Amino acid sequence: MAGGGAGLTKRLGTLLSGLLECGAFCGIIFGWASLVFVLKDLGYFEDLCQPTAIPGPNQTLLTDCSRQDEQFSLVFTIGSFMNNFMTFPMGFIFDRFGTTVARLIAISLYAGGTLLVAFSTPELAVLLFPAMSMLSVGGILLILTNMQVGNLFGKYRSIIITLYNGAFDSSSAIFLIIKVLYERGLSLRAMFLFMAACSAWHLLRTLFLMPRTRIPYPLPAAYDYGLRCPGRSQSYRTYEEKRPPGEAGPEETPLELSAPRVSTYTNAFAFTQLCGVLCAPWNGLILDRHKRGKTPRPEGALGALADLQASVLSLAVTVTQCVLFSICAAVPMLPVQFVTFVLQVLSRSFLYGGNAAFLAIAFPPQHFGKLYGLAMALSALVALLQYPCVTLVRGPLHGDPFYVNLGLIAVVLVAFVSPVVVARECRRRAKELGAAGTPLTAPLDAETPAEMPH
């Protein structure tokens, strides 16, 4: 990190406030199962419940709320789909217009979504559909602008990117907190009005602790960002602004909530999500392990190659975790699902954090938003396959998911192709550098060549 510019205090303030932002706001929709308990207690979609008679001498009457559960599941499905699919256009906006514009859009969406929930009622339960979609898109755009903060910390770049993705995972526990506070007497409206009021904090952070365009990497000397606190209210010109003209998996599905007794597993699932922020940096440690030795990381093409080589192990570990998660999820024993919850947190943290870090390593930074958005949009399309899978299980397979689970495990195994392809690309680049006369281990005072185009 070059001297001058933004000091360590300001950079740490940006890092920690961004971590709080991601951990408290960005991915809250994935704690939907906890919020459903509150919404059911308030009577949302309750008109869809119908009395059903059980044949027998006493003609017992029970309430069938399966259609109510389907409606809640539909709200989550649309919201989580929008979370991934809309990342591509949001990434384009981030790349084209910069951080400030992207964050203002995100703040507007988030504030609108929280207000819709706050003023919704059982009679206006339909407001949950646009509300959850707005919270999803606003949250993903906030984390998209935050991941560039890793550029401020040089050799810890990948660790910070994965840490932010872990905080995104942990934010799903916010709805669990809302559920607990609701049980203590707080109203749903008051809690969501408070979340809407937090938009002022997001706005202040946008003005004072974020750049107008993007944080470049490598970081130029004397780089600074944000508005001046005292005196004149004007923005520091960033490195990007000084450039001449011309120069952004399938998600988990909510637990079935047919009766309050599944609350134990829902709470367990929600609590494990809190550990996402603790698990995510492990992948960053793998990605940045070559930067912590006594020998400084080489610059230029050699440095880019070293970063790419470090990602091979990360990709292999991630795929292995996903395979183990798929196997445990296929075991038809409910207690085993506690292990599945743990593996889900690990694999999701490694998958999303590793994906963002890999894109930052392997491609030019000016295309990060678009590539990250494209990857998320593709994952949203893949997630839609859950519906034909469910139809297949309920229909031809007569409720037995064994063959579907087996097929999904086989598909996940194909992902081992990814680390193999990246390893081959590393060998190809190493041969090109060797043929060009570039030593693979340059002395400290050696002049490094210009970085190879990706």
Side-chain angles (χ1 to χ4, degrees), residues 72-87:
F72 283 125
S73 294
L74 184 60
V75 174
F76 172 82
T77 300
I78 293 175
S80 60
F81 175 82
M82 293 293 288
N83 177 83
N84 288 349
F85 188 76
M86 290 301 294
T87 309

Side-chain angles (χ1 to χ4, degrees), residues 13-89:
T14 302
L15 170 64
L16 296 177
S17 62
L19 196 61
L20 175 62
E21 187 172 79
C22 293
F25 300 97
C26 291
I28 63 174
I29 189 174
F30 298 110
W32 175 248
S34 298
L35 186 63
V36 166
F37 275 90
V38 178
L39 297 174
K40 278 191 172 184
D41 188 67
L42 293 172
Y44 283 67
F45 300 120
E46 194 173 45
D47 57 311
L48 297 177
C49 295
Q50 297 178 345
T52 302
I54 297 180
N58 296 326
Q59 284 292 315
T60 306
L61 288 178
L62 294 178
T63 302
D64 179 14
C65 291
S66 58
R67 291 184 59 197
Q68 181 191 35
D69 292 333
E70 289 174 1
Q71 202 73 353
F72 283 125
S73 294
L74 184 60
V75 174
F76 172 82
T77 300
I78 293 175
S80 60
F81 175 82
M82 293 293 288
N83 177 83
N84 288 349
F85 188 76
M86 290 301 294
T87 309
F88 178 62

Side-chain angles (χ1 to χ4, degrees), residues 87-167:
T87 309
F88 178 62
M90 293 300 105
F92 180 83
I93 290 173
F94 172 57
D95 285 342
R96 176 66 179 84
F97 299 104
T99 302
T100 299
V101 173
R103 286 182 61 85
L104 290 177
I105 294 174
I107 294 168
S108 301
L109 288 170
Y110 206 94
T114 51
L115 289 174
L116 283 177
V117 177
F119 292 104
S120 67
T121 63
E123 293 74 24
L124 293 174
V126 69
L127 292 179
L128 294 176
F129 286 95
M132 289 302 115
S133 295
M134 292 170 72
L135 290 176
S136 294
V137 178
I140 200 67
L141 194 47
L142 284 177
I143 190 176
L144 191 61
T145 60
N146 273 308
M147 284 189 287
Q148 62 180 323
V149 173
N151 295 350
L152 294 172
F153 294 90
K155 62 182 181 179
Y156 303 107
R157 182 191 188 199
S158 296
I159 295 175
I160 292 172
I161 291 175
T162 54
L163 184 65
Y164 273 17
N165 278 270

Side-chain angles (χ1 to χ4, degrees), residues 4-7 10 211 219-226 228 236-239 241:
K10 184 175 184 178
L219 206 63
Y223 175 77
D224 206 345
Y225 55 93
R228 298 179 187 269
Y236 287 105
R237 295 189 65 206
T238 66
Y239 174 80
E241 292 170 325

Side-chain angles (χ1 to χ4, degrees), residues 267-285:
N267 289 345
F269 176 76
F271 277 119
T272 56
Q273 303 309 298
L274 283 169
C275 299
V277 70
L278 302 177
C279 301
W282 301 350
N283 199 9
L285 291 172

Side-chain angles (χ1 to χ4, degrees), residues 127-434:
L127 292 179
L128 294 176
F129 286 95
M132 289 302 115
S133 295
M134 292 170 72
L135 290 176
S136 294
V137 178
I140 200 67
L141 194 47
L142 284 177
I143 190 176
L144 191 61
T145 60
N146 273 308
M147 284 189 287
Q148 62 180 323
V149 173
N151 295 350
L152 294 172
F153 294 90
K155 62 182 181 179
Y156 303 107
R157 182 191 188 199
S158 296
I159 295 175
I160 292 172
I161 291 175
T162 54
L163 184 65
Y164 273 17
N165 278 270
F168 176 88
D169 293 341
S170 296
S171 65
S172 60
I174 294 299
F175 280 166
L176 173 64
I177 296 174
I178 289 177
K179 172 178 177 284
V180 172
L181 293 177
Y182 173 80
E183 292 171 343
R184 299 295 187 274
L186 270 70
S187 70
L188 183 69
R189 175 167 297 182
M191 289 184 282
F192 272 88
L193 284 176
F194 172 78
M195 294 178 69
C198 289
S199 297
W201 180 76
H202 297 312
L203 184 60
L204 290 174
R205 185 168 181 272
T206 300
L207 296 176
F208 293 101
L209 292 177
M210 294 297 286
R212 181 179 175 184
T213 53
R214 284 184 299 272
I215 299 175
Y217 184 81
L219 206 63
Y223 175 77
D224 206 345
Y225 55 93
L227 295 177
R228 298 179 187 269
C229 293
R232 295 173 299 170
S233 176
Q234 70 177 41
S235 174
Y236 287 105
R237 295 189 65 206
T238 66
Y239 174 80
E240 291 288 334
E241 292 170 325
K242 294 177 183 177
R243 296 190 339 190
E247 311 246 10
E251 302 293 351
E252 66 271 29
T253 56
L255 298 177
E256 292 296 329
L257 304 175
S258 57
R261 60 186 174 84
V262 306
S263 179
T264 300
Y265 285 91
T266 302
N267 289 345
F269 176 76
F271 277 119
T272 56
Q273 303 309 298
L274 283 169
C275 299
V277 70
L278 302 177
C279 301
W282 301 350
N283 199 9
L285 291 172
I286 295 175
L287 288 163
D288 287 339
R289 66 188 188 279
H290 62 294
K291 301 176 183 178
R292 297 190 296 273
K294 295 182 179 180
T295 304
R297 171 187 178 273
E299 300 296 332
L302 294 176
L305 178 59
D307 290 344
L308 198 61
Q309 287 172 334
S311 69
V312 175
L313 178 59
S314 169
L315 292 171
V317 172
T318 301
V319 177
T320 302
Q321 289 177 342
C322 290
V323 171
L324 293 175
F325 163 69
S326 300
I327 293 173
C328 287
V331 176
M333 296 175 61
L334 201 54
V336 175
Q337 299 316 304
F338 287 113
V339 180
T340 305
F341 294 162
V342 175
L343 287 171
Q344 187 270 339
V345 172
L346 280 171
S347 60
R348 178 183 168 86
S349 298
F350 270 66
L351 181 62
Y352 280 84
N355 171 55
F358 177 77
L359 292 176
I361 288 170
F363 298 95
Q366 63 267 29
H367 300 303
F368 175 80
K370 293 185 285 291
L371 291 172
Y372 183 79
L374 180 61
M376 297 294 285
L378 290 175
S379 72
L381 294 176
V382 173
L384 292 178
L385 296 176
Q386 63 183 312
Y387 296 103
C389 289
V390 171
T391 302
L392 181 62
V393 171
R394 290 181 176 176
L397 297 180
H398 306 291
D400 184 4
F402 175 76
Y403 292 105
V404 170
N405 288 333
L406 199 63
L408 292 175
I409 292 172
V411 170
V412 175
L413 285 170
V414 176
F416 276 111
V417 171
S418 180
V420 173
V421 169
V422 175
R424 293 184 62 182
E425 173 66 12
C426 289
R427 287 196 294 269
R428 184 189 68 80
R429 291 193 184 188
K431 288 181 181 179
E432 287 183 354
L433 289 173

